[in-house]
Tab-separated table of all heavy atoms in Angstrom:
chain	number	residue	atom	x	y	z
A	1440	GLY	N	0.817	-1.217	0.000
A	1440	GLY	CA	0.000	0.000	0.000
A	1440	GLY	C	0.846	1.259	0.000
A	1440	GLY	O	0.505	2.251	-0.652
A	1441	ILE	N	1.961	1.220	0.732
A	1441	ILE	CA	2.876	2.375	0.732
A	1441	ILE	C	3.444	2.585	-0.676
A	1441	ILE	O	3.479	3.712	-1.175
A	1441	ILE	CB	4.029	2.176	1.749
A	1441	ILE	CG1	3.498	2.169	3.179
A	1441	ILE	CG2	5.078	3.265	1.583
A	1441	ILE	CD1	4.522	1.754	4.215
A	1442	ILE	N	3.866	1.494	-1.298
A	1442	ILE	CA	4.455	1.591	-2.642
A	1442	ILE	C	3.458	2.215	-3.614
A	1442	ILE	O	3.759	3.197	-4.298
A	1442	ILE	CB	4.889	0.199	-3.150
A	1442	ILE	CG1	6.028	-0.352	-2.305
A	1442	ILE	CG2	5.291	0.263	-4.631
A	1442	ILE	CD1	6.323	-1.819	-2.544
A	1443	TRP	N	2.269	1.643	-3.679
A	1443	TRP	CA	1.299	2.091	-4.685
A	1443	TRP	C	0.629	3.397	-4.303
A	1443	TRP	O	0.240	4.177	-5.174
A	1443	TRP	CB	0.296	0.986	-4.977
A	1443	TRP	CG	1.022	-0.172	-5.581
A	1443	TRP	CD1	1.303	-1.365	-4.991
A	1443	TRP	CD2	1.651	-0.217	-6.868
A	1443	TRP	NE1	2.049	-2.156	-5.832
A	1443	TRP	CE2	2.279	-1.468	-6.998
A	1443	TRP	CE3	1.742	0.681	-7.927
A	1443	TRP	CZ2	2.981	-1.843	-8.134
A	1443	TRP	CZ3	2.437	0.298	-9.062
A	1443	TRP	CH2	3.048	-0.949	-9.157
A	1444	GLY	N	0.513	3.681	-3.016
A	1444	GLY	CA	-0.005	4.987	-2.586
A	1444	GLY	C	0.955	6.110	-2.934
A	1444	GLY	O	0.551	7.184	-3.387
A	1445	THR	N	2.236	5.837	-2.736
A	1445	THR	CA	3.253	6.827	-3.101
A	1445	THR	C	3.290	7.023	-4.615
A	1445	THR	O	3.395	8.158	-5.096
A	1445	THR	CB	4.639	6.386	-2.583
A	1445	THR	OG1	4.556	6.176	-1.169
A	1445	THR	CG2	5.701	7.415	-2.881
A	1446	PHE	N	3.188	5.932	-5.349
A	1446	PHE	CA	3.133	6.012	-6.808
A	1446	PHE	C	1.972	6.900	-7.250
A	1446	PHE	O	2.137	7.800	-8.077
A	1446	PHE	CB	2.991	4.598	-7.401
A	1446	PHE	CG	2.755	4.573	-8.880
A	1446	PHE	CD1	3.781	4.815	-9.774
A	1446	PHE	CD2	1.492	4.286	-9.385
A	1446	PHE	CE1	3.570	4.771	-11.148
A	1446	PHE	CE2	1.266	4.249	-10.749
A	1446	PHE	CZ	2.303	4.492	-11.631
A	1447	THR	N	0.808	6.657	-6.662
A	1447	THR	CA	-0.378	7.458	-6.994
A	1447	THR	C	-0.155	8.928	-6.669
A	1447	THR	O	-0.481	9.812	-7.471
A	1447	THR	CB	-1.611	6.932	-6.234
A	1447	THR	OG1	-1.785	5.552	-6.554
A	1447	THR	CG2	-2.861	7.704	-6.586
A	1448	ALA	N	0.404	9.213	-5.495
A	1448	ALA	CA	0.638	10.605	-5.088
A	1448	ALA	C	1.609	11.301	-6.045
A	1448	ALA	O	1.402	12.466	-6.406
A	1448	ALA	CB	1.174	10.648	-3.661
A	1449	ILE	N	2.650	10.609	-6.465
A	1449	ILE	CA	3.625	11.212	-7.386
A	1449	ILE	C	2.989	11.479	-8.743
A	1449	ILE	O	3.145	12.559	-9.309
A	1449	ILE	CB	4.876	10.309	-7.528
A	1449	ILE	CG1	5.663	10.301	-6.221
A	1449	ILE	CG2	5.759	10.772	-8.684
A	1449	ILE	CD1	6.773	9.272	-6.166
A	1450	ILE	N	2.247	10.505	-9.245
A	1450	ILE	CA	1.621	10.646	-10.566
A	1450	ILE	C	0.617	11.802	-10.578
A	1450	ILE	O	0.541	12.564	-11.538
A	1450	ILE	CB	0.918	9.324	-10.962
A	1450	ILE	CG1	1.952	8.232	-11.187
A	1450	ILE	CG2	0.056	9.499	-12.193
A	1450	ILE	CD1	2.954	8.527	-12.265
A	1451	VAL	N	-0.149	11.912	-9.497
A	1451	VAL	CA	-1.180	12.956	-9.444
A	1451	VAL	C	-0.554	14.338	-9.200
A	1451	VAL	O	-1.037	15.342	-9.710
A	1451	VAL	CB	-2.219	12.618	-8.357
A	1451	VAL	CG1	-3.182	13.750	-8.135
A	1451	VAL	CG2	-2.971	11.351	-8.731
A	1452	THR	N	0.517	14.392	-8.436
A	1452	THR	CA	1.135	15.668	-8.094
A	1452	THR	C	1.941	16.250	-9.240
A	1452	THR	O	1.836	17.431	-9.548
A	1452	THR	CB	2.053	15.507	-6.859
A	1452	THR	OG1	1.295	14.950	-5.793
A	1452	THR	CG2	2.617	16.837	-6.430
A	1453	PHE	N	2.756	15.403	-9.837
A	1453	PHE	CA	3.640	15.869	-10.896
A	1453	PHE	C	3.211	15.262	-12.229
A	1453	PHE	O	3.084	14.049	-12.324
A	1453	PHE	CB	5.093	15.458	-10.615
A	1453	PHE	CG	5.574	15.885	-9.270
A	1453	PHE	CD1	5.729	14.953	-8.256
A	1453	PHE	CD2	5.856	17.215	-9.008
A	1453	PHE	CE1	6.180	15.335	-7.011
A	1453	PHE	CE2	6.305	17.605	-7.761
A	1453	PHE	CZ	6.462	16.669	-6.754
A	1454	PRO	N	3.019	16.079	-13.217
A	1454	PRO	CA	2.670	15.515	-14.526
A	1454	PRO	C	3.897	14.830	-15.141
A	1454	PRO	O	4.676	15.433	-15.857
A	1454	PRO	CB	2.231	16.736	-15.338
A	1454	PRO	CG	2.840	17.902	-14.647
A	1454	PRO	CD	3.043	17.525	-13.216
A	1455	VAL	N	4.062	13.580	-14.770
A	1455	VAL	CA	5.225	12.826	-15.212
A	1455	VAL	C	4.979	12.317	-16.625
A	1455	VAL	O	4.052	11.550	-16.871
A	1455	VAL	CB	5.508	11.636	-14.264
A	1455	VAL	CG1	6.727	10.867	-14.720
A	1455	VAL	CG2	5.672	12.121	-12.846
A	1456	ALA	N	5.810	12.742	-17.553
A	1456	ALA	CA	5.650	12.331	-18.942
A	1456	ALA	C	6.053	10.869	-19.128
A	1456	ALA	O	5.494	10.168	-19.946
A	1456	ALA	CB	6.478	13.229	-19.850
A	1457	LYS	N	7.014	10.429	-18.344
A	1457	LYS	CA	7.510	9.066	-18.494
A	1457	LYS	C	7.054	8.210	-17.317
A	1457	LYS	O	7.858	7.707	-16.540
A	1457	LYS	CB	9.020	9.090	-18.632
A	1457	LYS	CG	9.446	9.908	-19.842
A	1457	LYS	CD	10.907	9.850	-20.078
A	1457	LYS	CE	11.209	10.683	-21.320
A	1457	LYS	NZ	12.576	10.701	-21.678
A	1458	VAL	N	5.748	8.042	-17.228
A	1458	VAL	CA	5.136	7.281	-16.141
A	1458	VAL	C	5.586	5.825	-16.182
A	1458	VAL	O	5.708	5.176	-15.143
A	1458	VAL	CB	3.595	7.369	-16.236
A	1458	VAL	CG1	2.930	6.487	-15.208
A	1458	VAL	CG2	3.144	8.797	-16.079
A	1459	ALA	N	5.855	5.318	-17.358
A	1459	ALA	CA	6.233	3.914	-17.495
A	1459	ALA	C	7.477	3.588	-16.685
A	1459	ALA	O	7.567	2.511	-16.086
A	1459	ALA	CB	6.453	3.577	-18.959
A	1460	TYR	N	8.435	4.516	-16.624
A	1460	TYR	CA	9.656	4.261	-15.856
A	1460	TYR	C	9.355	4.159	-14.358
A	1460	TYR	O	9.906	3.298	-13.671
A	1460	TYR	CB	10.702	5.341	-16.112
A	1460	TYR	CG	11.171	5.385	-17.546
A	1460	TYR	CD1	11.027	6.530	-18.303
A	1460	TYR	CD2	11.752	4.270	-18.129
A	1460	TYR	CE1	11.455	6.577	-19.620
A	1460	TYR	CE2	12.179	4.299	-19.447
A	1460	TYR	CZ	12.022	5.453	-20.192
A	1460	TYR	OH	12.440	5.476	-21.481
A	1461	LEU	N	8.521	5.041	-13.896
A	1461	LEU	CA	8.140	4.998	-12.478
A	1461	LEU	C	7.337	3.736	-12.181
A	1461	LEU	O	7.522	3.104	-11.140
A	1461	LEU	CB	7.342	6.253	-12.107
A	1461	LEU	CG	6.963	6.409	-10.647
A	1461	LEU	CD1	8.202	6.410	-9.754
A	1461	LEU	CD2	6.182	7.690	-10.445
A	1462	LEU	N	6.469	3.348	-13.083
A	1462	LEU	CA	5.676	2.128	-12.913
A	1462	LEU	C	6.579	0.900	-12.865
A	1462	LEU	O	6.397	0.018	-12.021
A	1462	LEU	CB	4.661	1.997	-14.051
A	1462	LEU	CG	3.770	0.758	-14.012
A	1462	LEU	CD1	2.928	0.753	-12.746
A	1462	LEU	CD2	2.896	0.699	-15.240
A	1463	ILE	N	7.579	0.870	-13.722
A	1463	ILE	CA	8.521	-0.255	-13.726
A	1463	ILE	C	9.273	-0.314	-12.397
A	1463	ILE	O	9.455	-1.387	-11.816
A	1463	ILE	CB	9.496	-0.155	-14.918
A	1463	ILE	CG1	8.742	-0.418	-16.228
A	1463	ILE	CG2	10.662	-1.122	-14.763
A	1463	ILE	CD1	9.530	-0.090	-17.477
A	1464	ALA	N	9.702	0.846	-11.898
A	1464	ALA	CA	10.404	0.882	-10.606
A	1464	ALA	C	9.504	0.362	-9.487
A	1464	ALA	O	9.953	-0.415	-8.636
A	1464	ALA	CB	10.871	2.301	-10.306
A	1465	CYS	N	8.241	0.765	-9.495
A	1465	CYS	CA	7.300	0.296	-8.465
A	1465	CYS	C	7.054	-1.205	-8.579
A	1465	CYS	O	6.968	-1.902	-7.570
A	1465	CYS	CB	5.980	1.057	-8.567
A	1465	CYS	SG	6.096	2.745	-7.976
A	1466	LEU	N	6.947	-1.711	-9.797
A	1466	LEU	CA	6.749	-3.154	-9.991
A	1466	LEU	C	7.962	-3.948	-9.500
A	1466	LEU	O	7.807	-4.999	-8.866
A	1466	LEU	CB	6.478	-3.455	-11.467
A	1466	LEU	CG	5.103	-3.029	-11.984
A	1466	LEU	CD1	5.040	-3.164	-13.500
A	1466	LEU	CD2	4.002	-3.835	-11.320
A	1467	ILE	N	9.156	-3.438	-9.761
A	1467	ILE	CA	10.369	-4.108	-9.280
A	1467	ILE	C	10.405	-4.088	-7.752
A	1467	ILE	O	10.700	-5.103	-7.109
A	1467	ILE	CB	11.632	-3.453	-9.870
A	1467	ILE	CG1	11.704	-3.727	-11.371
A	1467	ILE	CG2	12.896	-3.931	-9.163
A	1467	ILE	CD1	12.759	-2.915	-12.106
A	1468	PHE	N	10.100	-2.929	-7.180
A	1468	PHE	CA	10.084	-2.822	-5.720
A	1468	PHE	C	9.040	-3.765	-5.130
A	1468	PHE	O	9.286	-4.435	-4.132
A	1468	PHE	CB	9.830	-1.371	-5.315
A	1468	PHE	CG	10.080	-1.097	-3.864
A	1468	PHE	CD1	11.146	-1.657	-3.190
A	1468	PHE	CD2	9.227	-0.257	-3.165
A	1468	PHE	CE1	11.373	-1.392	-1.851
A	1468	PHE	CE2	9.437	0.004	-1.822
A	1468	PHE	CZ	10.509	-0.558	-1.165
A	1469	GLN	N	7.869	-3.846	-5.753
A	1469	GLN	CA	6.813	-4.744	-5.283
A	1469	GLN	C	7.287	-6.196	-5.337
A	1469	GLN	O	7.063	-6.966	-4.407
A	1469	GLN	CB	5.553	-4.569	-6.127
A	1469	GLN	CG	4.412	-5.484	-5.716
A	1469	GLN	CD	3.869	-5.142	-4.349
A	1469	GLN	OE1	3.334	-4.074	-4.155
A	1469	GLN	NE2	4.003	-6.045	-3.401
A	1470	ALA	N	7.958	-6.569	-6.430
A	1470	ALA	CA	8.474	-7.932	-6.552
A	1470	ALA	C	9.498	-8.227	-5.459
A	1470	ALA	O	9.503	-9.318	-4.871
A	1470	ALA	CB	9.093	-8.138	-7.931
A	1471	LEU	N	10.355	-7.253	-5.147
A	1471	LEU	CA	11.341	-7.433	-4.078
A	1471	LEU	C	10.672	-7.611	-2.718
A	1471	LEU	O	11.108	-8.427	-1.897
A	1471	LEU	CB	12.307	-6.253	-4.045
A	1471	LEU	CG	13.283	-6.157	-5.219
A	1471	LEU	CD1	14.069	-4.853	-5.166
A	1471	LEU	CD2	14.215	-7.361	-5.243
A	1472	VAL	N	9.613	-6.850	-2.481
A	1472	VAL	CA	8.871	-6.980	-1.215
A	1472	VAL	C	8.271	-8.379	-1.103
A	1472	VAL	O	8.361	-9.032	-0.052
A	1472	VAL	CB	7.776	-5.893	-1.107
A	1472	VAL	CG1	6.804	-6.194	0.011
A	1472	VAL	CG2	8.410	-4.532	-0.897
A	1473	ILE	N	7.665	-8.855	-2.174
A	1473	ILE	CA	7.073	-10.197	-2.158
A	1473	ILE	C	8.144	-11.251	-1.903
A	1473	ILE	O	7.962	-12.146	-1.067
A	1473	ILE	CB	6.325	-10.467	-3.480
A	1473	ILE	CG1	5.072	-9.592	-3.564
A	1473	ILE	CG2	5.943	-11.949	-3.598
A	1473	ILE	CD1	4.405	-9.575	-4.914
A	1474	LEU	N	9.276	-11.139	-2.582
A	1474	LEU	CA	10.365	-12.103	-2.379
A	1474	LEU	C	10.908	-12.044	-0.949
A	1474	LEU	O	11.215	-13.068	-0.347
A	1474	LEU	CB	11.488	-11.851	-3.381
A	1474	LEU	CG	11.177	-12.227	-4.827
A	1474	LEU	CD1	12.292	-11.759	-5.754
A	1474	LEU	CD2	10.979	-13.731	-4.955
A	1475	TRP	N	11.043	-10.835	-0.422
A	1475	TRP	CA	11.550	-10.665	0.948
A	1475	TRP	C	10.633	-11.350	1.961
A	1475	TRP	O	11.094	-12.118	2.800
A	1475	TRP	CB	11.694	-9.186	1.262
A	1475	TRP	CG	12.081	-8.917	2.684
A	1475	TRP	CD1	11.272	-8.507	3.701
A	1475	TRP	CD2	13.380	-9.061	3.253
A	1475	TRP	NE1	11.983	-8.385	4.861
A	1475	TRP	CE2	13.289	-8.728	4.612
A	1475	TRP	CE3	14.608	-9.445	2.740
A	1475	TRP	CZ2	14.376	-8.762	5.460
A	1475	TRP	CZ3	15.694	-9.472	3.605
A	1475	TRP	CH2	15.568	-9.137	4.940
A	1476	PHE	N	9.331	-11.104	1.851
A	1476	PHE	CA	8.402	-11.706	2.803
A	1476	PHE	C	8.288	-13.215	2.598
A	1476	PHE	O	8.126	-13.965	3.565
A	1476	PHE	CB	7.033	-11.028	2.738
A	1476	PHE	CG	7.006	-9.753	3.515
A	1476	PHE	CD1	7.110	-8.522	2.880
A	1476	PHE	CD2	6.894	-9.759	4.892
A	1476	PHE	CE1	7.111	-7.350	3.591
A	1476	PHE	CE2	6.893	-8.583	5.617
A	1476	PHE	CZ	6.996	-7.376	4.974
A	1477	TYR	N	8.411	-13.675	1.375
A	1477	TYR	CA	8.400	-15.112	1.126
A	1477	TYR	C	9.626	-15.761	1.762
A	1477	TYR	O	9.526	-16.835	2.358
A	1477	TYR	CB	8.354	-15.397	-0.375
A	1477	TYR	CG	8.324	-16.868	-0.681
A	1477	TYR	CD1	7.177	-17.623	-0.436
A	1477	TYR	CD2	9.436	-17.513	-1.211
A	1477	TYR	CE1	7.152	-18.976	-0.703
A	1477	TYR	CE2	9.419	-18.865	-1.484
A	1477	TYR	CZ	8.272	-19.594	-1.225
A	1477	TYR	OH	8.253	-20.943	-1.483
A	1478	MET	N	10.783	-15.104	1.661
A	1478	MET	CA	12.002	-15.633	2.271
A	1478	MET	C	11.854	-15.711	3.791
A	1478	MET	O	12.213	-16.711	4.406
A	1478	MET	CB	13.197	-14.736	1.913
A	1478	MET	CG	14.508	-15.232	2.469
A	1478	MET	SD	15.861	-14.077	2.211
A	1478	MET	CE	15.410	-12.772	3.345
């Protein structure tokens, strides 16, 4: 929720032209969180 809430806040606050890069970073971070908790 922190990851995606922050993503939402950044997207809404700043008109980011390259949203895909930020989305990819969030997806990678989300995958790391899942792997960490699984470990």
Side-chain angles (χ1 to χ4, degrees):
I1441 294 170
I1442 294 168
W1443 296 107
T1445 304
F1446 173 76
T1447 303
I1449 291 170
I1450 293 300
V1451 172
T1452 305
F1453 306 106
V1455 181
K1457 300 185 179 181
V1458 175
Y1460 297 121
L1461 184 58
L1462 179 61
I1463 290 169
C1465 287
L1466 288 170
I1467 292 169
F1468 192 40
Q1469 179 67 64
L1471 290 173
V1472 167
I1473 291 169
L1474 289 172
W1475 174 258
F1476 279 101
Y1477 181 72
M1478 182 187 71

